[in-house]
Amino acid sequence: MTRKINSVISWRSALALAAILSGCGGGADSGLGGGGSSSAGGCSYTDMISSSERTQANSCGIQVSGNFAQADSMLQSVIATCQAGNKAQADSYYNSTYQQAVSYARSVSSALSCGSGSGGSITNTSPQTFYNLCVKTTAVSGGLRKQAYCWGPVQQGDGGCSPGDGFSYLSQHSDLNTCGAAGSTFVNQ
């Protein structure tokens, strides 16, 4: 069972949220699929994160996926800022903060050997199941659209979301109601 939650916030709130999140690893997926560009209302910016990087990050857990999600959120803030008529500010943010966030996300992924297959694994045989909170932020006219859903049931420690849907893993919860409440909090912030 999945539960989707949607919300729209203003571009000013989105830019403030991205600035706040730049130090704490929050955010959401751009949904662009990676490596492409986003063009809306005369504003065009390249998504520097490839689909394969995003999928790999989601499978590596929150330490990695949270940083990629933060960069995705920053890209959506850039687009929303540009659409609001602040192209110079958006360009500056894209060329500095967004690109630094992508670089940092990649360095964390590399430092944790994400996707290298170098770590061992232990099979989880516990009957207890959990639900993953998956989130996404996209630019819409006049602001950002924030979405969340709960993916599961999954085993404890199994990060990730439905493959190919453009959402990023944010956290894991012991039951669907707790996950749904966390999703509501995410979209309403």
Side-chain angles (χ1 to χ4, degrees), residues 30-39 44-54 72 75-76 79 94 98 106:
S30 68
L32 298 173
S37 82
S38 178
S39 179
S44 180
Y45 297 92
T46 300
D47 181 356
M48 296 174 57
I49 301 171
S50 70
S51 295
S52 61
E53 279 181 298
R54 190 170 285 111
D72 288 336
L75 178 60
Q76 293 306 313
I79 294 165
Y94 177 84
Y98 169 69
R106 288 176 175 154

Side-chain angles (χ1 to χ4, degrees), residues 68-93:
F68 280 91
Q70 175 185 351
D72 288 336
S73 180
M74 289 178 176
L75 178 60
Q76 293 306 313
S77 293
V78 165
I79 294 165
T81 300
C82 179
Q83 289 174 339
N86 298 307
K87 184 157 177 35
Q89 183 181 7
D91 288 349
S92 174
Y93 193 69

